[in-house]
Structures are given as structure tokens and as C-alpha cells.
Amino acid sequence: MCMRGHLEGFIKQLDNAFEIGQSTRFKEVSNNITSVLICGIGGSGIGGTIASKAIADVCKVPVITCNDYHIPAFVNDSTLIIASSYSGNTEETITAVTSAMSKGAVLCAITSGGALKALCEETGSNHILIPGGNPPRTCLGYSLTEQIFALNKYGLIPGELIDNLKSASKLLKSEDNNIKLEAKLVSEALAGKIPVLYSTDKFEPIAIRFRQQLNENSKMLAWHNKFPEMNHNEIVGWSQENKDLAVLVFRNRDDFYRTQARIDFTVSLISDFASSVTQITSKGNSYLERALYFIYLTDWVSLYLAESDNTDPIAIKSIDALKAHLATID
């Protein structure tokens, strides 16, 4: 399937993921869960980064993400490991999970198969199976949704977040045409430039996701930072004109008022130096609705940029070459 087809199917993917999450039955565990480590990397990992922000205000135990081979020292038999690997064979994730289970951690996986599925079956661990055969970055709807379901099934977050996922799907259906129109305008502002992405701290995972999509789909380099952190360092770097840079700012109507003041000031300052400063504002009544609104919009931006440059958004030759190289190393 072409990338356009994947994006056209994103809303349906959310609905399918919801049905899978609802129908999957989990075994009860005797362990008292006091911490959560979400393991995943790349297209499989960003869902956990988003989930950790989405649940921060309601989850009573600390949730940490791991995008590496190595796990933190706190992991023990009271830790829930949520492993997200689309293929089920991501070497960093498999290595981290193996280490965690050696410490007695409870495993739950979101995967389409591979070694991770086999490990879950071998150990009797809970897992949610999702459809395979697609680029991992096109399956965020599955990985994010199922991680929210998993956290709810372990009693760590309320059912309200499940409802928010359902509402997000309805929002995207109602805004579908408007989102694509806005995405086209944003892509025109970023075309031929180096995108600089700014968000609030809570929405940093969305900026990361967009940076990843620009890298893979559009074959563009980009960087991101967040408010208020960038006001203590990066803002000083905006001291001379650089028309190779195009800025995109993610905004929400309920951003903290002092953060909004910071953003307003920063936009005014850097408008004199960048080629353009574009601001996009989320829609929705919950974090998950707003996050998925931004994700759907910016995914389309990355596709329009690829198409305008006659770039194949599916191809990932550099990643394929790296995997081939790593296969030669014991």
C-alpha cells in the first residue's frame, strides 16, 4: 500500500484498534505494580512516549519510557514492562525485555508477531496482537491505542481515557477535510526549508512524531524544542536572519497562561529571523483528542512535502542499510 493509502486508513485503524483492545482478555497477575517501563523504539516507540504524557495526570505509579537496549536499575518484580514492537523482532526492545524479565518484571506486549509474540506465549504473558505487514510508522493508531487499553486492563488508569480514544476518532472524522486543507498550507510554508518545531512540554511527543515523519516520509532533516525550556537557551540562538529555517508552533487553547505569553513573545521575536512562523492550534476536549488531531494533521503535512518533491515516502534505504550492516555483527 502507498503512504497516501495508509494515511487515508488512519481513522479506520483507530476504530479497529479500539475493537481489538476491547476484545483482548488479560490474565490477572499477582504482582503489585508500582512502576511501569514502556519499551519501544522508532515508529513502535513513539506511541509509548505519547501514552506516558496522556496518563501523567491520572496514573498513580511512575511511568518511564525506554528507547534503548538498557533498562533502568529500578526495574524489579513490581514493574510492568509494556513492550511495543510492531514486527516483534526489534533488537533493542527484545534485549531490554529480556533484561527486565530476568529481574522478575511483568511483561505485556503490543506486537504483530515475531520473537516478542513467541516470548509472551512461552511465558504466559499478556499481549495484544495487531495486524502486521505495514511500515511501523503507519501503525501508531494501533500501538498508542493498545497501550492505553493495556494500562487500563492492569487498573493503572481510568476508563475515561478509553472514552477519549473513541471521541478522538469521531473528531478526526468530522474534521477530516479541514485537516487536509490546513496540512496543505503548512506543507507550503515548510517546503524547501529546514523545519524547526516548537511545542509545550506536554505535547513534545507530538513534535517528536512529526520530526520522525519528516525524516522518514519527507526525507527532510528537522529539529524540535519545547516551551518553556527553549526560553532558557535556544531563544538566544535566534539572533540573526536565517531564511533556510521555517518554524512550526504547536498550540493549545488551554496551555498555561504564562506559557502562552512565552510563546507569543518568542513568535514575535523569531518572526524577524526565520523564513516563516506558522502556528497550528489543536481541537478536542482531552489530551488524546488533541494529540491525535495534531498527529493526523502533521502526518498529512509530511506526505504533501514528499509528494511536492517527488519523494517516495515509503522508502527507508538508510535504515535498511544499517540493519544489513548490524546483521554482520555478532
Side-chain angles (χ1 to χ4, degrees):
M1 182 187 297
C2 67
M3 185 58 68
R4 178 174 283 272
H6 285 297
L7 293 194
E8 291 286 4
F10 182 72
I11 301 173
K12 182 180 289 187
Q13 179 184 124
L14 287 175
D15 292 339
N16 187 33
F18 193 91
E19 293 172 0
I20 292 171
Q22 276 191 320
S23 62
T24 301
R25 297 288 174 258
F26 273 26
K27 303 173 185 175
E28 290 189 13
V29 295
S30 58
N31 308 55
N32 178 34
I33 303 299
T34 60
S35 62
V36 178
L37 184 68
I38 303 178
C39 296
I41 201 160
S44 296
I46 190 62
T49 307
I50 297 168
S52 67
K53 291 290 188 181
I55 67 173
D57 295 336
V58 295
C59 187
K60 302 301 183 183
V61 303
V63 178
I64 305 295
T65 58
C66 174
N67 311 116
D68 197 4
Y69 295 93
H70 307 291
I71 61 172
F74 72 78
V75 173
N76 57 28
D77 60 3
S78 294
T79 303
L80 171 65
I81 302 293
I82 297 181
S84 176
S85 169
Y86 184 66
S87 67
N89 295 315
T90 311
E91 66 172 75
E92 299 94 332
T93 303
I94 296 297
T95 301
V97 166
T98 302
S99 297
M101 295 193 74
S102 72
K103 293 188 171 188
V106 177
L107 172 63
C108 172
I110 290 89
T111 184
S112 67
L116 188 56
K117 175 177 179 285
L119 179 61
C120 288
E121 292 174 341
E122 178 185 337
T123 59
S125 301
N126 289 321
H127 55 287
I128 301 178
L129 286 178
I130 56 179
N134 299 302
R137 65 188 184 277
T138 67
C139 294
L140 175 61
Y142 286 119
S143 64
L144 173 59
T145 298
E146 307 311 358
Q147 287 179 61
I148 295 297
F149 266 100
L151 288 159
N152 176 254
K153 289 175 186 291
Y154 282 100
L156 298 173
I157 61 173
E160 176 186 357
L161 276 82
I162 303 295
D163 296 335
N164 292 343
L165 288 169
K166 197 72 171 177
S167 298
S169 173
K170 293 178 181 178
L171 173 67
L172 297 189
K173 289 171 185 173
S174 66
E175 294 289 336
D176 194 8
N177 290 332
N178 292 332
I179 286 172
K180 291 171 184 174
L181 289 172
E182 184 173 9
K184 190 69 174 176
L185 293 174
V186 173
S187 72
E188 291 170 358
L190 301 184
K193 307 297 180 181
I194 299 173
V196 181
L197 316 175
Y198 291 138
S199 69
T200 60
D201 175 77
K202 196 168 182 67
F203 281 81
E204 184 182 16
I206 310 308
I208 294 172
R209 161 70 177 187
F210 185 35
R211 174 173 56 77
Q212 293 173 343
Q213 293 293 79
L214 287 169
N215 297 156
E216 292 194 69
N217 292 344
S218 316
K219 312 301 184 285
M220 296 171 66
L221 290 173
W223 86 68
H224 84 276
N225 210 326
K226 59 184 179 180
F227 294 100
E229 173 67 23
M230 69 85 61
N231 287 153
H232 294 263
N233 37 65
E234 187 166 312
I235 190 174
V236 182
W238 287 101
S239 57
Q240 57 186 339
E241 183 177 271
N242 190 331
K243 296 304 183 182
D244 291 329
L245 304 179
V247 177
L248 179 67
V249 183
F250 294 84
R251 304 197 69 160
N252 303 275
R253 291 185 176 85
D254 66 341
D255 288 336
F256 184 56
Y257 78 99
R258 294 192 66 83
T259 301
Q260 292 200 48
R262 288 175 177 275
I263 296 174
D264 290 339
F265 180 89
T266 304
V267 166
S268 177
L269 174 70
I270 65 181
S271 292
D272 292 333
F273 302 120
S275 67
S276 64
V277 179
T278 304
Q279 302 182 71
I280 55 176
T281 302
S282 66
K283 294 184 180 181
N285 298 315
S286 68
Y287 178 82
L288 283 171
E289 288 176 59
R290 293 165 185 158
L292 284 163
Y293 177 91
F294 274 145
I295 288 165
Y296 192 52
L297 191 160
T298 52
D299 277 7
W300 277 103
V301 174
S302 73
L303 176 67
Y304 290 144
L305 284 166
E307 290 180 342
S308 68
D309 196 41
N310 293 316
T311 297
D312 178 6
I314 293 289
I316 48 170
K317 295 179 181 178
S318 298
I319 295 177
D320 293 337
L322 174 60
K323 288 182 177 179
H325 172 67
L326 290 172
T328 67
I329 301 172
D330 291 333

